[in-house]
Amino acid sequence: MKVIKSIMLAAALAGAGGQVLAADQFVALPSYRVGPYGAGGSGFYGGMIDYFNLINANGGINGVKMTWEECETEYNASRGVECYERMKTKNGGATLVDPLSTGIAYGIVDRVATDKIPMTMLGYGRSDAANGKVFPYVFPLITSYWNQAAAMIKYLGDKNGGYAKLRGKKIVYLYHDSAFGKEAMPVLDAQAKQYGFELIKIAVAPPGSEQQSQWLQIRQARPDHVILWGWGVMNSVAIKTAQRNGFPREKILGVWWAGSEEDTIPSGEAAKGYTSMTFNTPGNYPLLDEIRKKVYAGGKGNLADQSRIGSVYHMRGVTLGVLWVEAIRTAQEKFGKGKTMTGEQVRWGLENLNVDAARQKAIGAFGMFPTVKTSCDDHEGSGAVKVQQWDGKKWVAITPNWVVGDKALTRRLLEESSLAYAKEKNITPACMQ
């Protein structure tokens, strides 16, 4: 009897060991769900977790299940670094991280290479990190702030009849006074000089709940366009304050972090006709329906309010979840199907991503985001965006095709900045194997 029990115990331990080693892929989520930026964080990380739960419900990545842990950062840079340090060694070691904060990303950008934990920055963070020869463990996936800024000027140029028509125009850059808000300035400064428009920079102190003085400046300047580079409560305050000051919402173009339902619904009528950038095409997709049916119907949905499924923030989180899973799947193709990937192996998967139209269709997300193909030289993988407009009830894409700005300019800036960083940090630029 004792022998049988011992065999059963050994089998149970082997099974448990197998589950830990062959069935778990641990990722770190330094998230935020409270404070002035909580709406964005809860939607984004909620979307990621919904996708992970869907993958697990479907059997995992060749049998490997996603596991994760959240740590509340409140969008605070020092707290974000603490969360990263706390989670990076848990459960055998984190193999991916995304803090959804430029400030936190800057705080750990030097650490992730040492720790061999790849960090993604979906549509935010250090734009020059697209150079994988200098930043092998950092991936500003889909579109960086620099390429977004360039696409904004391309769109505004097209609205005016071409780049040449921007000469003599006034463009106000109303920005969140933080690392996030300052990130786009090199591109906007270069394009102002190149195309002859006047760039007027006006800072808003975080969180941005009071902007009357800034909009008085804008009213006095009488600009042709306002680029709203905001985040959280700053956005709805800007839209409503613009209306009170008689500034047409049609002349405001928001960064993609100023283009969610959480920005427009609280703004009421003031938001109707407002436009923003996006790296997702608004609408419904088979993938979202699958999440509703398999995740939420099974009681495993991450969002308490199911009306947020498919909202802007939720869709972005799902998008990053897709890219993470595809990176792990790509890594498994090289290093072993059905095995848990290390951070170094996942890094390789991220650097060799190819989520093309065919793969998007297979996932049920065709057209939901641009196709993504990365390389050592290009950790971004796309650079394409769309412009969307709030019709009073929902977001509608008003550019049928993906918009790409002056990538020659952004690449030149990227090379200059990343190589200066390499020199400062004594890094010899090279591709990793």
Side-chain angles (χ1 to χ4, degrees), residues 9 29 56 122 124 137 151 174 184 193 205 219 225 231 271 284 289 291 293 315 338 363 366 375 394 406 429:
L9 178 61
L29 305 180
N56 289 347
L122 188 75
Y124 74 92
Y137 276 85
L174 185 69
K193 184 177 180 181
R219 189 167 71 179
H225 304 283
W231 179 223
N284 195 42
D289 286 333
I291 287 172
K293 291 172 186 174
M315 194 184 292
I363 295 167
F366 177 65
S375 66
K394 64 183 184 303
D406 187 346

Side-chain angles (χ1 to χ4, degrees), residues 133-147:
K133 291 177 181 176
V134 177
F135 296 93
Y137 276 85
V138 186
F139 294 82
L141 289 174
I142 296 189
T143 310
S144 69
Y145 282 144
W146 286 359
N147 275 327

Side-chain angles (χ1 to χ4, degrees), residues 174 208 211 215 228 233-243 252:
L174 185 69
Q211 297 176 40
W215 283 96
L228 171 59
V233 69
M234 173 181 165
N235 300 325
S236 58
V237 171
I239 294 167
K240 289 185 284 189
T241 311
Q243 184 192 46
I252 306 173

